[in-house]
Amino acid sequence: MDANGNPLPKVYHIKKNDGPKIEYRMLDAVNALRQASGARPVQLNSQLNAAAATHARDMSIQNRPWHFGSDGSSPLDRVRRVGYQGRMLGENISETYETELETLAAWMDEAGTRDVILDPSATNLGFAWFQESNGKLWWTLVMGD
């Protein structure tokens, strides 16, 4: 319990070999939400994954969740740097101790981040995270077409 008598957050520890399971759990959840909204499914894209991974780690270094890199890069800059030829449609970010599915649920509760996930023109998904030694997670999701 914390000083106010509330339960402390449970830390979600990601093991080294859990990466693919987490990526595909997120992909399946995103596609289920997209199907329910009438949007076509998306697929994981290695270039968008790379852009997302770069930003997740960089947010940790900066110790703040925001869309600009420590070098001043925008989401569009990061997607171009990895050679993605499609159009970057949006980026969702989070700083949390929660699982990927809890994070997705939080994104779906906000109109702006929900619109990124459900964008009907999206065909590709990039998703990555960086976990600090204290358990804090920095999640990044990028959608493209």
Side-chain angles (χ1 to χ4, degrees):
M1 300 291 194
D2 67 13
N4 297 324
N6 299 315
L8 292 171
K10 185 177 177 187
V11 177
Y12 176 54
H13 286 288
I14 298 175
K15 298 178 191 110
K16 185 176 183 176
N17 295 331
D18 287 346
K21 287 189 287 187
I22 291 169
E23 284 180 349
Y24 283 99
R25 198 164 34 236
M26 178 61 87
L27 177 67
D28 290 345
V30 165
N31 279 333
L33 292 165
R34 289 177 61 79
Q35 181 180 17
S37 75
R40 64 184 172 195
V42 293
Q43 63 185 0
L44 282 172
N45 178 280
S46 61
Q47 292 168 319
L48 293 180
N49 282 352
T54 297
H55 193 54
R57 179 177 290 275
D58 191 52
M59 285 189 297
S60 171
I61 291 167
Q62 296 182 72
N63 196 33
R64 64 178 170 178
W66 74 323
H67 294 282
F68 293 95
S70 56
D71 63 355
S73 63
S74 70
L76 184 57
D77 295 329
R78 289 187 294 277
V79 166
R80 285 183 180 149
R81 284 180 190 163
V82 297
Y84 184 69
Q85 296 298 309
R87 189 170 46 123
M88 197 277 303
L89 300 171
E91 176 184 78
N92 289 348
I93 58 172
S94 181
E95 167 196 18
T96 186
Y97 290 90
E98 296 177 334
T99 69
E100 67 280 358
L101 296 181
E102 290 170 316
T103 302
L104 177 59
W107 285 335
M108 290 300 290
D109 280 342
E110 297 293 327
T113 50
R114 181 177 53 247
D115 289 347
V116 169
I117 293 163
L118 300 180
D119 187 322
S121 61
T123 57
N124 292 301
L125 166 72
F127 178 67
W129 61 91
F130 179 78
Q131 186 163 39
E132 296 179 358
S133 60
N134 66 4
K136 183 190 290 185
L137 283 155
W138 301 86
W139 300 103
T140 306
L141 177 144
V142 181
M143 298 296 270
D145 72 358

PDB file of all heavy atoms in Angstrom, residues 95-120:
ATOM      1  N   GLU A  95       3.962   6.101 -21.040  1.00  0.00           N
ATOM      2  CA  GLU A  95       4.911   5.837 -19.957  1.00  0.00           C
ATOM      3  C   GLU A  95       4.094   5.199 -18.850  1.00  0.00           C
ATOM      4  O   GLU A  95       3.165   5.824 -18.323  1.00  0.00           O
ATOM      5  CB  GLU A  95       5.531   7.152 -19.483  1.00  0.00           C
ATOM      6  CG  GLU A  95       6.275   7.043 -18.182  1.00  0.00           C
ATOM      7  CD  GLU A  95       6.533   8.405 -17.535  1.00  0.00           C
ATOM      8  OE1 GLU A  95       5.862   9.396 -17.891  1.00  0.00           O
ATOM      9  OE2 GLU A  95       7.399   8.461 -16.665  1.00  0.00           O
ATOM     10  N   THR A  96       4.384   3.936 -18.504  1.00  0.00           N
ATOM     11  CA  THR A  96       3.515   3.231 -17.580  1.00  0.00           C
ATOM     12  C   THR A  96       4.220   2.022 -16.976  1.00  0.00           C
ATOM     13  O   THR A  96       5.341   1.684 -17.360  1.00  0.00           O
ATOM     14  CB  THR A  96       2.230   2.779 -18.316  1.00  0.00           C
ATOM     15  OG1 THR A  96       1.316   2.204 -17.391  1.00  0.00           O
ATOM     16  CG2 THR A  96       2.532   1.781 -19.413  1.00  0.00           C
ATOM     17  N   TYR A  97       3.551   1.382 -16.056  1.00  0.00           N
ATOM     18  CA  TYR A  97       3.968   0.073 -15.531  1.00  0.00           C
ATOM     19  C   TYR A  97       2.985  -0.998 -15.995  1.00  0.00           C
ATOM     20  O   TYR A  97       3.051  -2.135 -15.573  1.00  0.00           O
ATOM     21  CB  TYR A  97       4.016   0.104 -13.996  1.00  0.00           C
ATOM     22  CG  TYR A  97       5.144   0.954 -13.465  1.00  0.00           C
ATOM     23  CD1 TYR A  97       4.957   2.300 -13.213  1.00  0.00           C
ATOM     24  CD2 TYR A  97       6.400   0.408 -13.242  1.00  0.00           C
ATOM     25  CE1 TYR A  97       5.992   3.096 -12.737  1.00  0.00           C
ATOM     26  CE2 TYR A  97       7.444   1.188 -12.767  1.00  0.00           C
ATOM     27  CZ  TYR A  97       7.229   2.529 -12.513  1.00  0.00           C
ATOM     28  OH  TYR A  97       8.271   3.305 -12.055  1.00  0.00           O
ATOM     29  N   GLU A  98       2.056  -0.628 -16.871  1.00  0.00           N
ATOM     30  CA  GLU A  98       0.984  -1.519 -17.295  1.00  0.00           C
ATOM     31  C   GLU A  98       1.386  -2.387 -18.483  1.00  0.00           C
ATOM     32  O   GLU A  98       2.325  -2.077 -19.212  1.00  0.00           O
ATOM     33  CB  GLU A  98      -0.247  -0.695 -17.667  1.00  0.00           C
ATOM     34  CG  GLU A  98      -0.825   0.067 -16.493  1.00  0.00           C
ATOM     35  CD  GLU A  98      -1.997   0.942 -16.868  1.00  0.00           C
ATOM     36  OE1 GLU A  98      -2.109   1.369 -18.034  1.00  0.00           O
ATOM     37  OE2 GLU A  98      -2.814   1.194 -15.979  1.00  0.00           O
ATOM     38  N   THR A  99       0.614  -3.443 -18.697  1.00  0.00           N
ATOM     39  CA  THR A  99       0.835  -4.358 -19.803  1.00  0.00           C
ATOM     40  C   THR A  99       0.509  -3.670 -21.130  1.00  0.00           C
ATOM     41  O   THR A  99      -0.107  -2.596 -21.158  1.00  0.00           O
ATOM     42  CB  THR A  99      -0.062  -5.598 -19.681  1.00  0.00           C
ATOM     43  OG1 THR A  99      -1.425  -5.201 -19.900  1.00  0.00           O
ATOM     44  CG2 THR A  99       0.090  -6.275 -18.324  1.00  0.00           C
ATOM     45  N   GLU A 100       0.869  -4.339 -22.199  1.00  0.00           N
ATOM     46  CA  GLU A 100       0.558  -3.796 -23.520  1.00  0.00           C
ATOM     47  C   GLU A 100      -0.953  -3.703 -23.739  1.00  0.00           C
ATOM     48  O   GLU A 100      -1.435  -2.755 -24.345  1.00  0.00           O
ATOM     49  CB  GLU A 100       1.223  -4.626 -24.629  1.00  0.00           C
ATOM     50  CG  GLU A 100       0.717  -6.038 -24.799  1.00  0.00           C
ATOM     51  CD  GLU A 100       1.288  -7.029 -23.797  1.00  0.00           C
ATOM     52  OE1 GLU A 100       2.127  -6.649 -22.953  1.00  0.00           O
ATOM     53  OE2 GLU A 100       0.889  -8.199 -23.859  1.00  0.00           O
ATOM     54  N   LEU A 101      -1.723  -4.662 -23.231  1.00  0.00           N
ATOM     55  CA  LEU A 101      -3.169  -4.625 -23.434  1.00  0.00           C
ATOM     56  C   LEU A 101      -3.839  -3.572 -22.554  1.00  0.00           C
ATOM     57  O   LEU A 101      -4.817  -2.941 -22.974  1.00  0.00           O
ATOM     58  CB  LEU A 101      -3.772  -6.015 -23.211  1.00  0.00           C
ATOM     59  CG  LEU A 101      -3.288  -7.072 -24.210  1.00  0.00           C
ATOM     60  CD1 LEU A 101      -3.953  -8.412 -23.941  1.00  0.00           C
ATOM     61  CD2 LEU A 101      -3.486  -6.637 -25.653  1.00  0.00           C
ATOM     62  N   GLU A 102      -3.319  -3.341 -21.363  1.00  0.00           N
ATOM     63  CA  GLU A 102      -3.833  -2.247 -20.537  1.00  0.00           C
ATOM     64  C   GLU A 102      -3.510  -0.902 -21.189  1.00  0.00           C
ATOM     65  O   GLU A 102      -4.321   0.025 -21.158  1.00  0.00           O
ATOM     66  CB  GLU A 102      -3.222  -2.307 -19.131  1.00  0.00           C
ATOM     67  CG  GLU A 102      -3.727  -3.480 -18.306  1.00  0.00           C
ATOM     68  CD  GLU A 102      -2.943  -3.675 -17.029  1.00  0.00           C
ATOM     69  OE1 GLU A 102      -1.697  -3.599 -17.053  1.00  0.00           O
ATOM     70  OE2 GLU A 102      -3.583  -3.906 -15.986  1.00  0.00           O
ATOM     71  N   THR A 103      -2.339  -0.818 -21.789  1.00  0.00           N
ATOM     72  CA  THR A 103      -1.946   0.406 -22.488  1.00  0.00           C
ATOM     73  C   THR A 103      -2.839   0.631 -23.707  1.00  0.00           C
ATOM     74  O   THR A 103      -3.302   1.746 -23.951  1.00  0.00           O
ATOM     75  CB  THR A 103      -0.458   0.344 -22.878  1.00  0.00           C
ATOM     76  OG1 THR A 103       0.308   0.164 -21.679  1.00  0.00           O
ATOM     77  CG2 THR A 103      -0.016   1.595 -23.597  1.00  0.00           C
ATOM     78  N   LEU A 104      -3.107  -0.429 -24.452  1.00  0.00           N
ATOM     79  CA  LEU A 104      -4.006  -0.325 -25.601  1.00  0.00           C
ATOM     80  C   LEU A 104      -5.394   0.133 -25.150  1.00  0.00           C
ATOM     81  O   LEU A 104      -6.002   1.001 -25.792  1.00  0.00           O
ATOM     82  CB  LEU A 104      -4.095  -1.666 -26.334  1.00  0.00           C
ATOM     83  CG  LEU A 104      -5.046  -1.731 -27.522  1.00  0.00           C
ATOM     84  CD1 LEU A 104      -4.680  -0.719 -28.600  1.00  0.00           C
ATOM     85  CD2 LEU A 104      -5.073  -3.152 -28.091  1.00  0.00           C
ATOM     86  N   ALA A 105      -5.881  -0.398 -24.041  1.00  0.00           N
ATOM     87  CA  ALA A 105      -7.196   0.015 -23.529  1.00  0.00           C
ATOM     88  C   ALA A 105      -7.198   1.503 -23.176  1.00  0.00           C
ATOM     89  O   ALA A 105      -8.168   2.215 -23.461  1.00  0.00           O
ATOM     90  CB  ALA A 105      -7.573  -0.828 -22.309  1.00  0.00           C
ATOM     91  N   ALA A 106      -6.104   1.980 -22.587  1.00  0.00           N
ATOM     92  CA  ALA A 106      -6.010   3.413 -22.261  1.00  0.00           C
ATOM     93  C   ALA A 106      -5.996   4.250 -23.537  1.00  0.00           C
ATOM     94  O   ALA A 106      -6.640   5.307 -23.598  1.00  0.00           O
ATOM     95  CB  ALA A 106      -4.761   3.686 -21.430  1.00  0.00           C
ATOM     96  N   TRP A 107      -5.283   3.795 -24.563  1.00  0.00           N
ATOM     97  CA  TRP A 107      -5.276   4.510 -25.836  1.00  0.00           C
ATOM     98  C   TRP A 107      -6.673   4.548 -26.455  1.00  0.00           C
ATOM     99  O   TRP A 107      -7.079   5.543 -27.044  1.00  0.00           O
ATOM    100  CB  TRP A 107      -4.281   3.888 -26.801  1.00  0.00           C
ATOM    101  CG  TRP A 107      -2.839   4.170 -26.518  1.00  0.00           C
ATOM    102  CD1 TRP A 107      -2.322   5.240 -25.847  1.00  0.00           C
ATOM    103  CD2 TRP A 107      -1.719   3.376 -26.897  1.00  0.00           C
ATOM    104  NE1 TRP A 107      -0.945   5.155 -25.785  1.00  0.00           N
ATOM    105  CE2 TRP A 107      -0.547   4.022 -26.429  1.00  0.00           C
ATOM    106  CE3 TRP A 107      -1.579   2.183 -27.587  1.00  0.00           C
ATOM    107  CZ2 TRP A 107       0.735   3.510 -26.631  1.00  0.00           C
ATOM    108  CZ3 TRP A 107      -0.310   1.667 -27.789  1.00  0.00           C
ATOM    109  CH2 TRP A 107       0.835   2.332 -27.315  1.00  0.00           C
ATOM    110  N   MET A 108      -7.415   3.458 -26.317  1.00  0.00           N
ATOM    111  CA  MET A 108      -8.759   3.399 -26.891  1.00  0.00           C
ATOM    112  C   MET A 108      -9.740   4.301 -26.142  1.00  0.00           C
ATOM    113  O   MET A 108     -10.782   4.659 -26.682  1.00  0.00           O
ATOM    114  CB  MET A 108      -9.269   1.956 -26.916  1.00  0.00           C
ATOM    115  CG  MET A 108      -8.538   1.077 -27.921  1.00  0.00           C
ATOM    116  SD  MET A 108      -8.666   1.649 -29.634  1.00  0.00           S
ATOM    117  CE  MET A 108     -10.398   1.305 -29.959  1.00  0.00           C
ATOM    118  N   ASP A 109      -9.406   4.681 -24.922  1.00  0.00           N
ATOM    119  CA  ASP A 109     -10.275   5.576 -24.140  1.00  0.00           C
ATOM    120  C   ASP A 109     -10.146   7.038 -24.542  1.00  0.00           C
ATOM    121  O   ASP A 109     -10.950   7.864 -24.118  1.00  0.00           O
ATOM    122  CB  ASP A 109      -9.965   5.451 -22.641  1.00  0.00           C
ATOM    123  CG  ASP A 109     -10.615   4.243 -22.015  1.00  0.00           C
ATOM    124  OD1 ASP A 109     -11.557   3.680 -22.606  1.00  0.00           O
ATOM    125  OD2 ASP A 109     -10.167   3.854 -20.909  1.00  0.00           O
ATOM    126  N   GLU A 110      -9.144   7.371 -25.325  1.00  0.00           N
ATOM    127  CA  GLU A 110      -8.903   8.760 -25.744  1.00  0.00           C
ATOM    128  C   GLU A 110      -9.139   8.874 -27.250  1.00  0.00           C
ATOM    129  O   GLU A 110      -8.595   8.090 -28.033  1.00  0.00           O
ATOM    130  CB  GLU A 110      -7.467   9.188 -25.421  1.00  0.00           C
ATOM    131  CG  GLU A 110      -7.151   9.182 -23.940  1.00  0.00           C
ATOM    132  CD  GLU A 110      -7.925  10.242 -23.176  1.00  0.00           C
ATOM    133  OE1 GLU A 110      -8.199  11.322 -23.749  1.00  0.00           O
ATOM    134  OE2 GLU A 110      -8.257   9.987 -22.012  1.00  0.00           O
ATOM    135  N   ALA A 111      -9.901   9.861 -27.663  1.00  0.00           N
ATOM    136  CA  ALA A 111     -10.276  10.006 -29.078  1.00  0.00           C
ATOM    137  C   ALA A 111      -9.065  10.076 -30.008  1.00  0.00           C
ATOM    138  O   ALA A 111      -9.034   9.404 -31.038  1.00  0.00           O
ATOM    139  CB  ALA A 111     -11.167  11.226 -29.267  1.00  0.00           C
ATOM    140  N   GLY A 112      -8.073  10.884 -29.669  1.00  0.00           N
ATOM    141  CA  GLY A 112      -6.931  11.064 -30.569  1.00  0.00           C
ATOM    142  C   GLY A 112      -6.124   9.798 -30.778  1.00  0.00           C
ATOM    143  O   GLY A 112      -5.772   9.442 -31.910  1.00  0.00           O
ATOM    144  N   THR A 113      -5.827   9.083 -29.702  1.00  0.00           N
ATOM    145  CA  THR A 113      -5.038   7.857 -29.835  1.00  0.00           C
ATOM    146  C   THR A 113      -5.891   6.725 -30.415  1.00  0.00           C
ATOM    147  O   THR A 113      -5.389   5.890 -31.163  1.00  0.00           O
ATOM    148  CB  THR A 113      -4.411   7.452 -28.482  1.00  0.00           C
ATOM    149  OG1 THR A 113      -5.424   7.458 -27.465  1.00  0.00           O
ATOM    150  CG2 THR A 113      -3.310   8.418 -28.089  1.00  0.00           C
ATOM    151  N   ARG A 114      -7.180   6.716 -30.106  1.00  0.00           N
ATOM    152  CA  ARG A 114      -8.085   5.731 -30.709  1.00  0.00           C
ATOM    153  C   ARG A 114      -8.139   5.919 -32.222  1.00  0.00           C
ATOM    154  O   ARG A 114      -8.116   4.952 -32.985  1.00  0.00           O
ATOM    155  CB  ARG A 114      -9.478   5.848 -30.087  1.00  0.00           C
ATOM    156  CG  ARG A 114     -10.473   4.842 -30.651  1.00  0.00           C
ATOM    157  CD  ARG A 114     -11.847   4.907 -29.972  1.00  0.00           C
ATOM    158  NE  ARG A 114     -12.400   6.248 -29.967  1.00  0.00           N
ATOM    159  CZ  ARG A 114     -12.589   6.991 -28.869  1.00  0.00           C
ATOM    160  NH1 ARG A 114     -12.285   6.535 -27.674  1.00  0.00           N
ATOM    161  NH2 ARG A 114     -13.110   8.204 -28.969  1.00  0.00           N
ATOM    162  N   ASP A 115      -8.184   7.174 -32.674  1.00  0.00           N
ATOM    163  CA  ASP A 115      -8.238   7.447 -34.114  1.00  0.00           C
ATOM    164  C   ASP A 115      -6.999   6.929 -34.835  1.00  0.00           C
ATOM    165  O   ASP A 115      -7.091   6.479 -35.984  1.00  0.00           O
ATOM    166  CB  ASP A 115      -8.398   8.942 -34.375  1.00  0.00           C
ATOM    167  CG  ASP A 115      -9.772   9.464 -33.997  1.00  0.00           C
ATOM    168  OD1 ASP A 115     -10.698   8.646 -33.753  1.00  0.00           O
ATOM    169  OD2 ASP A 115      -9.931  10.701 -33.936  1.00  0.00           O
ATOM    170  N   VAL A 116      -5.844   6.981 -34.189  1.00  0.00           N
ATOM    171  CA  VAL A 116      -4.616   6.438 -34.790  1.00  0.00           C
ATOM    172  C   VAL A 116      -4.769   4.931 -34.990  1.00  0.00           C
ATOM    173  O   VAL A 116      -4.476   4.388 -36.055  1.00  0.00           O
ATOM    174  CB  VAL A 116      -3.378   6.763 -33.919  1.00  0.00           C
ATOM    175  CG1 VAL A 116      -2.149   5.992 -34.385  1.00  0.00           C
ATOM    176  CG2 VAL A 116      -3.108   8.264 -33.912  1.00  0.00           C
ATOM    177  N   ILE A 117      -5.242   4.243 -33.972  1.00  0.00           N
ATOM    178  CA  ILE A 117      -5.377   2.779 -34.016  1.00  0.00           C
ATOM    179  C   ILE A 117      -6.415   2.346 -35.045  1.00  0.00           C
ATOM    180  O   ILE A 117      -6.227   1.358 -35.753  1.00  0.00           O
ATOM    181  CB  ILE A 117      -5.729   2.243 -32.616  1.00  0.00           C
ATOM    182  CG1 ILE A 117      -4.542   2.470 -31.676  1.00  0.00           C
ATOM    183  CG2 ILE A 117      -6.142   0.778 -32.654  1.00  0.00           C
ATOM    184  CD1 ILE A 117      -4.867   2.363 -30.203  1.00  0.00           C
ATOM    185  N   LEU A 118      -7.494   3.093 -35.157  1.00  0.00           N
ATOM    186  CA  LEU A 118      -8.609   2.698 -36.029  1.00  0.00           C
ATOM    187  C   LEU A 118      -8.582   3.380 -37.394  1.00  0.00           C
ATOM    188  O   LEU A 118      -9.533   3.214 -38.167  1.00  0.00           O
ATOM    189  CB  LEU A 118      -9.941   2.981 -35.328  1.00  0.00           C
ATOM    190  CG  LEU A 118     -10.161   2.261 -34.001  1.00  0.00           C
ATOM    191  CD1 LEU A 118     -11.525   2.639 -33.423  1.00  0.00           C
ATOM    192  CD2 LEU A 118     -10.027   0.755 -34.147  1.00  0.00           C
ATOM    193  N   ASP A 119      -7.519   4.094 -37.719  1.00  0.00           N
ATOM    194  CA  ASP A 119      -7.438   4.789 -39.010  1.00  0.00           C
ATOM    195  C   ASP A 119      -7.730   3.799 -40.137  1.00  0.00           C
ATOM    196  O   ASP A 119      -7.007   2.808 -40.310  1.00  0.00           O
ATOM    197  CB  ASP A 119      -6.048   5.397 -39.186  1.00  0.00           C
ATOM    198  CG  ASP A 119      -5.940   6.279 -40.413  1.00  0.00           C
ATOM    199  OD1 ASP A 119      -6.528   5.945 -41.469  1.00  0.00           O
ATOM    200  OD2 ASP A 119      -5.255   7.306 -40.333  1.00  0.00           O
ATOM    201  N   PRO A 120      -8.793   4.032 -40.916  1.00  0.00           N
ATOM    202  CA  PRO A 120      -9.176   3.067 -41.952  1.00  0.00           C
ATOM    203  C   PRO A 120      -8.149   2.906 -43.064  1.00  0.00           C
ATOM    204  O   PRO A 120      -8.152   1.885 -43.759  1.00  0.00           O
ATOM    205  CB  PRO A 120     -10.502   3.609 -42.487  1.00  0.00           C
ATOM    206  CG  PRO A 120     -10.584   5.019 -42.033  1.00  0.00           C
ATOM    207  CD  PRO A 120      -9.719   5.164 -40.831  1.00  0.00           C
TER     208      PRO A 120
END
